[in-house]
Structure formats: C-alpha cells, structure tokens
Amino acid sequence: TFGLWWISLSEGANTFLCGPLYPSIPFLISIQILTDGGGAIVVPGTIPLGADGLGLVMQMWFDDPTGPCLATASNGLKVDVP
C-alpha cells in the first residue's frame, strides 16, 4: 500500500482528510513509503551523534479504499533523543 510519512519538529493541531494530523506544518521531511503484502514497513536507521535533545513528531498516512475519505493514518508518534 502506498503511503506518506510526515516528520516535523513539533506537534500541530491540524486536520487532514478525515482525521487528525499530528506533525506541524511545514513538515521537516515528507517521505513516500510502500508496505509489503502483509501491511508491514521496516525503517532501519540510526540517530546521528550530536542529535541530543532533538524531538521529532511523525505520522504515516496510507491509501485505504475502506477507510474514511479513502485513507487511514497511524497514531502520532513523538521521539525524544535523550
């Protein structure tokens, strides 16, 4: 399934399609993603040195013909680097 992964530096109180949009606009990063046949996605990565104190807010939205407004969203996620 095709989707979008939006990442921002802060939380927003926005609405997108028929649901809440947690990352604030403008987005820091917008990434096109695809899930496998089981609906899973694996995102490998590391946190670079010097990112202490960084906070990221992210959410994924996916095409879904059975969802409201033909899309569904993940929960919002906030990642704080200690």
Side-chain angles (χ1 to χ4, degrees):
T1 302
F2 173 77
L4 291 169
W5 182 16
W6 288 318
I7 302 171
S8 181
L9 294 174
S10 60
E11 296 178 42
N14 301 296
T15 300
F16 179 71
L17 296 176
C18 294
L21 178 63
Y22 293 106
S24 67
I25 299 171
F27 303 120
L28 178 66
I29 302 170
S30 179
I31 303 170
Q32 294 181 3
I33 53 176
L34 283 174
T35 64
D36 64 16
I41 182 171
V42 175
V43 182
T46 59
I47 298 173
L49 293 174
D52 303 355
L54 178 67
L56 298 173
V57 177
M58 54 189 77
Q59 187 175 30
M60 294 180 183
W61 279 80
F62 298 95
D63 288 338
D64 182 355
T66 65
C69 297
L70 304 177
T72 55
S74 70
N75 291 330
L77 176 67
K78 183 170 183 188
V79 177
D80 291 316
V81 179

